[in-house]
């Protein structure tokens, strides 16, 4: 079963994701989601569940921040309301949520399944095994893992669902191990309030004060795009393919979901019998999805196939979009573009000036390849490469109400035994059938009624169904009033919708949820990090975890420390600059340690941990 998992900023985005082919969506509630700017009422989440469940698509809610003691009562109430709303799973970082779920299960209360958020820092099989032993049915893997590492985890823990990111913005630090925003700005990433420290400008200096790079976005990464590697991920054991972007609007969601959904359907067609989608229905699109037309900083598959030098977007953290041509000439108040791209009034274009600063401008009027900007941009030269980060025509297509229509194929079968008229609806994808009966006496019609009956049963309008076959051979000689046929059609549709909603499969956590009991030597987690409340601390102690690290947000300043690690990154500046000896590059030409220097002169020391092949960032205390 393949699941394409899409982000939902709100109810509108969630519905857009389902309509464009998502098998599941993840959405934030009123509190405790890792995107504090994307919150939703439980009522909206319940409405999204009702809509998604029509297609047997699922809804997961993010409760993946660390939680404080004084918030525990509110957390308890929220979890109860989410369970009542019908959500299928909770994405969790704080083990207090697990403790609460276990308490309720012991009392016989239904709780959604638990998915371990990427914030639990899931880099290896030992971590996945431990999480499975705690009742998590799915683990969201660290973005930094290669396809070989994912395959190894699946081999060691074959019964745990693995979720992997395939598209969207990238954090430079391992999730759950980034404290830069909290340290520098008092805004905790583990509380959903990241200030995006990694998108800032830095200069890079060596130990002698030599400037190696000046005013560059050295920690800012390109956006992930793995659409060409989906089959590899599936073969490696990934169950759910996740698109990042809970702050993105519905146009972004529509385009990206449609692109990945079409790609997955292509894989399924080329490997008959090997895969099937986790939800039902087919999408009819009025647009051709194009990933480069939605927000992006350039694309990378990150570390999926090993290290690469071009994963960062050091010139700018802003969207560049698609390359559309080069400046052929600048004539008066107009720009002539070389290439075959079509432009429209209102397009947004950009370019890098001589200082590698990204400069944007709006097209006021387009006459073929001659563009008249609203204001001529400074620094634009002949030969400059132009990018389009806002395609007006494409956005207009996406904004159409019926840009995608998702329907499920059904067949009708009608029968009459002389006393009872029976109308059956069969769901083609699953073979499920519902039948509506009516006791009545039918007269033989003066002429065959087949055309009328087929026409009446095709009227499925606002329902998620479309009739692809109608068998009325056994009743076509009888006169059935149109009102009767219409009424039975509506009843059959209602019954099928109830069937879809109630037969979702297991969506609640079992008290005996240890789906992969680990061996004793790795059952015990060596160290628990980001512990922010008494319940989580006690939970870890009960599980035999002796080393417990309190969350930075709850720590008092330790005067004995001279520095504190605020980031753990697989992205390595030594490698990016061509001086990683371990990977066969040349010897460094600087004296270490290196330091990142902000505009306000705050300094952060880099540690190159070659044994673990990662770069750590330290703040001086």
């Amino acid at each position: 079963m393949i699941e394409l998992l899409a982000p939902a900023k709100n109810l509108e985005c969630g519905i857009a994701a389902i309509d464009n082919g998502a098998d599941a969506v993840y959405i934030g509630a009123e509190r405790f989601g890792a995107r504090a700017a994307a919150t939703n009422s439980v009522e909206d989440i319940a409405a999204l569940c009702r809509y998604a469940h029509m297609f047997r698509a699922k809804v997961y809610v993010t409760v993946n921040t660390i939680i404080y003691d004084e918030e525990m009562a509110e957390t308890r109430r929220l979890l109860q309301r989410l369970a009542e709303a019908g959500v299928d799973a909770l994405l969790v970082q704080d083990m207090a949520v697990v403790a609460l779920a276990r308490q309720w299960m012991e009392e016989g209360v239904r709780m959604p399944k638990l998915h371990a958020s990427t914030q639990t820092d899931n880099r290896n099989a030992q971590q996945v095994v431990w999480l499975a032993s705690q009742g998590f049915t799915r683990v969201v893997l660290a973005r930094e893992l290669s396809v070989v590492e994912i395959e190894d985890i699946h081999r060691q823990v074959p019964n745990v669902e693995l979720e992997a990111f395939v598209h969207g913005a990238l954090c430079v630090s391992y999730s759950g191990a980034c404290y830069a925003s909290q340290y520098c700005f008092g805004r905790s990433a583990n509380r959903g309030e990241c200030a995006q420290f990694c998108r800032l400008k830095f200069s890079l200096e060596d130990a002698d004060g030599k400037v190696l790079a000046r005013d560059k976005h050295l920690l800012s990464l390109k956006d992930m795009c793995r659409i060409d590697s989906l089959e590899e991920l599936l073969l490696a054991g990934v169950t759910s393919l996740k698109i990042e972007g809970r702050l993105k609007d519905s146009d972004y969601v529509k385009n990206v979901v449609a692109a990945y959904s079409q790609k997955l359907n292509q894989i399924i067609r080329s490997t008959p019998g090997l895969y099937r989608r986790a939800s039902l229905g087919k999408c009819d699109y009025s647009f051709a999805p194009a990933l480069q037309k939605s927000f992006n900083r350039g694309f990378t598959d990150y570390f999926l196939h090993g290290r690469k030098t071009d994963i960062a977007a050091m010139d700018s953290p802003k969207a560049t979009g698609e390359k559309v041509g080069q400046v052929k000439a600048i004539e008066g108040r107009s720009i002539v573009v070389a290439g075959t791209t079509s432009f429209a009034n209102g397009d947004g274009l950009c370019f890098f000036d001589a200082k590698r600063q990204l400069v944007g401008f709006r097209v006021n009027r387009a006459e073929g390849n001659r563009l008249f900007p609203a204001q001529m941009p400074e620094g634009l030269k002949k030969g400059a490469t132009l990018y389009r980060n806002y395609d007006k025509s494409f956005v207009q297509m996406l904004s159409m109400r019926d840009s995608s229509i998702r329907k499920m194929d059904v067949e009708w079968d009608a029968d009459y035994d002389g006393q009872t008229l029976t109308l059956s609806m069969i769901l083609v994808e699953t073979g499920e059938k519902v039948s509506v009966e009516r006791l009545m006496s039918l007269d033989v019609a003066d002429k065959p009624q087949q055309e009328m009956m087929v026409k009446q049963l095709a009227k499925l309008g606002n329902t998620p169904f479309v009739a692809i076959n109608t068998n009325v051979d056994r009743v076509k000689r009888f006169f059935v009033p149109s009102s009767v046929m219409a009424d039975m059609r509506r009843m059959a549709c209602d019954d099928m919708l109830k069937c879809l909603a109630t037969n979702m499969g297991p969506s609640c956590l079992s008290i005996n949820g240890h789906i992969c009991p680990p061996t004793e030597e790795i059952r015990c987690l060596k160290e628990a990090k980001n512990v922010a409340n008494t319940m989580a601390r006690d939970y870890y102690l009960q599980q035999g975890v002796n080393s417990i690290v309190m969350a930075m947000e709850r720590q008092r300043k330790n005067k004995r420390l001279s520095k504190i690690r605020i980031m753990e990154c697989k992205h390595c500046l030594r490698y990016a600059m061509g001086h990683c000896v371990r990977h066969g590059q040349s010897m460094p030409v600087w004296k270490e340690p290196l330091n990142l220097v902000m505009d306000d002169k705050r300094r952060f020391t880099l540690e190159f941990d070659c044994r673990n092949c990662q770069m750590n960032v330290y703040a001086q205390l």
Side-chain angles (χ1 to χ4, degrees):
M1 294 270 277
I2 303 173
E3 179 185 273
L4 178 60
L5 177 58
K9 178 181 181 180
N10 50 34
L11 176 59
E12 177 194 358
C13 289
I15 291 174
I18 300 299
D19 285 346
N20 284 270
D23 300 296
V25 296
Y26 62 105
I27 187 169
E30 296 161 352
R31 291 284 306 277
F32 312 120
R35 296 291 184 273
T39 59
N40 296 274
S41 69
V42 175
E43 290 73 23
D44 276 359
I45 292 172
L48 180 57
C49 288
R50 290 191 294 271
Y51 190 82
H53 291 171
M54 285 196 301
F55 300 96
R56 292 228 170 103
K58 296 185 176 180
V59 177
Y60 309 141
V61 176
T62 58
V63 190
N64 57 341
T65 65
I66 54 175
I67 300 166
Y68 298 158
D69 282 314
E70 58 270 26
E71 298 169 332
M72 207 55 64
E74 184 182 355
T75 304
R76 191 189 305 268
R77 287 191 295 269
L78 177 62
L79 296 178
Q80 288 176 320
R81 294 173 63 207
L82 291 173
E84 293 166 359
V87 305
D88 299 287
L90 303 173
L91 280 91
V92 176
Q93 175 184 188
D94 198 311
M95 291 300 130
V97 177
V98 182
L100 288 172
R102 287 190 170 188
Q103 288 177 6
W104 283 323
M105 286 188 295
E106 290 170 354
E107 298 168 6
V109 178
R110 175 202 177 274
M111 280 299 296
K113 289 182 178 180
L114 298 180
H115 293 177
S117 169
T118 187
Q119 296 296 120
T120 53
D121 195 5
N122 308 313
R123 310 185 204 183
N124 52 57
Q126 288 78 11
Q127 176 74 358
V128 176
V129 166
W130 187 84
L131 289 165
S133 75
Q134 305 309 304
F136 286 94
T137 59
R138 179 182 295 184
V139 174
V140 186
L141 298 174
R143 294 171 174 85
E144 291 81 0
L145 297 180
S146 70
V147 69
V148 173
E149 290 170 319
I150 294 171
E151 188 176 23
D152 181 60
I153 290 174
H154 177 62
R155 184 169 55 249
Q156 293 188 56
V157 199
N159 296 322
V160 179
E161 295 178 5
L162 300 180
E163 183 175 303
F165 284 90
V166 294
H167 197 91
L170 285 165
C171 301
V172 72
S173 176
Y174 282 98
S175 292
C178 182
Y179 311 101
S181 180
Q182 170 66 26
Y183 178 82
C184 293
F185 309 111
R187 292 173 53 182
S188 169
N190 283 315
R191 296 275 291 170
E193 299 172 342
C194 178
Q196 295 196 313
F197 172 88
C198 58
R199 302 296 181 191
L200 299 177
K201 281 184 179 180
F202 298 95
S203 291
L204 183 65
E205 296 182 1
D206 73 359
D208 292 330
K210 180 182 177 181
V211 178
L212 307 175
R214 189 181 299 278
D215 293 335
K216 290 289 185 180
H217 301 272
L218 298 171
L219 300 179
S220 182
L221 301 179
K222 294 179 180 178
D223 286 4
M224 179 187 285
C225 180
R226 292 174 170 175
I227 196 165
D228 295 325
S229 301
L230 299 185
E231 195 165 3
E232 278 184 274
L233 287 165
L234 296 174
L235 290 170
V238 173
T239 297
S240 178
L241 303 164
K242 185 171 191 172
I243 297 166
E244 192 277 338
R246 279 200 298 118
L247 297 179
K248 297 294 195 293
D249 60 21
S250 60
D251 288 348
Y252 179 94
V253 171
K254 288 178 181 180
N255 185 34
V256 177
V257 169
Y260 277 83
S261 184
Q262 288 186 347
K263 183 66 174 182
L264 285 176
N265 290 339
Q266 183 182 35
I267 292 171
I268 291 171
R269 287 192 297 269
S270 66
T271 55
L274 188 58
Y275 304 113
R276 66 175 292 262
R277 297 294 291 270
S279 63
L280 306 176
K282 299 175 183 176
C283 297
D284 183 16
Y285 303 100
S286 64
F287 68 97
L291 293 175
Q292 70 273 18
K293 290 182 180 294
S294 287
F295 184 101
N296 71 84
R297 303 173 178 90
F299 289 129
T300 174
D301 68 1
Y302 209 27
F303 294 100
L304 193 65
H305 300 106
R307 281 195 175 275
K308 297 177 181 178
T309 57
D310 62 346
I311 66 172
M314 294 186 184
D315 289 324
S316 175
K318 298 178 182 178
T320 51
E322 59 178 331
K323 188 182 294 185
V324 291
Q326 289 184 313
V327 176
K328 183 177 181 181
I330 299 174
E331 300 175 356
R333 304 294 297 174
S334 70
I335 302 165
V336 180
V337 182
T340 59
T341 303
S342 297
F343 297 95
N345 301 346
D347 278 354
L349 303 182
C350 59
F351 65 95
F352 288 99
D353 65 13
K355 295 181 180 179
R356 294 302 294 171
Q357 299 295 309
L358 190 66
V359 179
F361 63 95
R362 182 76 65 185
V363 176
N364 191 46
R365 188 171 83 255
E367 296 179 357
N369 67 337
R370 183 180 293 274
L371 309 179
F372 295 84
Q375 184 175 351
M376 284 296 288
E378 293 184 11
L380 183 63
K381 304 290 185 183
K382 180 181 177 180
T385 299
L386 292 178
Y387 302 85
R388 178 163 53 192
N389 52 16
Y390 182 81
D391 187 326
K392 181 69 176 294
S393 298
F394 188 70
V395 170
Q396 286 179 331
M397 282 193 294
L398 287 177
S399 300
M400 292 172 59
R401 196 170 190 177
D402 57 351
S403 60
S404 175
I405 299 174
R406 183 169 179 169
K407 297 283 187 179
M408 290 172 282
D409 291 343
V410 296
E411 294 180 347
W412 290 110
D413 186 70
D415 195 9
Y416 182 62
D417 63 3
Q419 291 182 317
T420 304
L421 177 64
T422 303
L423 180 64
S424 298
M425 174 188 268
I426 301 98
L427 195 62
V428 174
E429 286 185 70
T430 66
E432 291 167 273
K433 181 170 77 171
V434 296
S435 298
V436 177
E437 297 181 346
R438 179 165 295 191
L439 288 172
M440 61 189 309
S441 177
L442 297 178
D443 296 326
V444 176
D446 294 335
K447 58 181 180 179
Q449 300 292 296
Q450 182 171 3
E451 184 177 348
M452 181 279 293
M453 293 178 180
V454 171
K455 187 176 180 181
Q456 185 61 247
L457 293 174
K459 294 180 179 179
L460 292 168
N462 293 327
T463 72
F465 308 115
V466 60
I468 62 168
N469 186 39
T470 303
N471 178 19
V472 293
D473 289 347
R474 294 186 296 277
V475 296
K476 65 183 180 182
R477 66 190 186 94
F478 296 102
F479 175 74
V480 181
S482 292
S483 59
V484 171
M485 190 65 76
D487 190 43
M488 295 181 74
R489 181 199 70 223
R490 284 191 292 268
M491 292 174 64
C493 286
D494 289 344
D495 288 349
M496 183 59 79
L497 288 172
K498 291 176 185 175
C499 177
L500 288 166
T502 55
N503 296 332
M504 286 286 293
S507 60
C508 57
L509 188 60
S510 167
I511 188 74
N512 298 314
H514 307 294
I515 59 176
C516 183
T519 58
E520 287 300 324
E521 58 267 24
I522 57 176
R523 176 186 292 277
C524 184
L525 196 66
K526 292 181 179 179
E527 182 180 70
K529 298 179 181 179
N530 297 329
V531 180
N533 59 75
T534 305
M535 185 174 285
R537 183 200 64 195
D538 292 346
Y539 182 88
Y540 280 118
L541 290 173
Q542 290 168 7
Q543 300 302 315
V545 182
N546 295 318
S547 177
I548 296 177
V549 180
M550 294 300 294
M552 178 187 287
E553 296 81 355
R554 286 315 218 193
Q555 289 181 16
R556 294 179 179 178
K557 189 172 182 180
N558 190 336
K559 296 181 179 179
R560 291 177 296 177
L561 295 177
S562 61
K563 62 180 182 178
I564 183 172
R565 185 161 62 189
I566 60 172
M567 277 186 169
E568 296 179 30
C569 313
K570 194 162 184 177
H571 169 54
C572 176
L573 287 175
R574 185 192 276 176
Y575 180 86
M577 297 175 75
H579 296 292
C580 175
V581 177
R582 178 177 176 178
H583 285 88
Q585 297 176 335
S586 62
M587 289 289 293
V589 293
W590 53 68
K591 183 179 179 181
E592 295 184 1
L594 303 185
N595 290 277
L596 295 172
V597 185
M598 291 175 64
D599 288 341
D600 62 7
K601 305 306 179 184
R602 279 186 283 182
R603 304 172 69 83
F604 304 90
T605 302
L606 302 182
E607 173 193 73
F608 298 104
D609 180 359
C610 296
R611 180 180 179 185
N612 294 305
C613 204
Q614 71 181 43
M615 179 181 76
N616 300 320
V617 182
Y618 286 86
Q620 304 298 320
L621 297 177

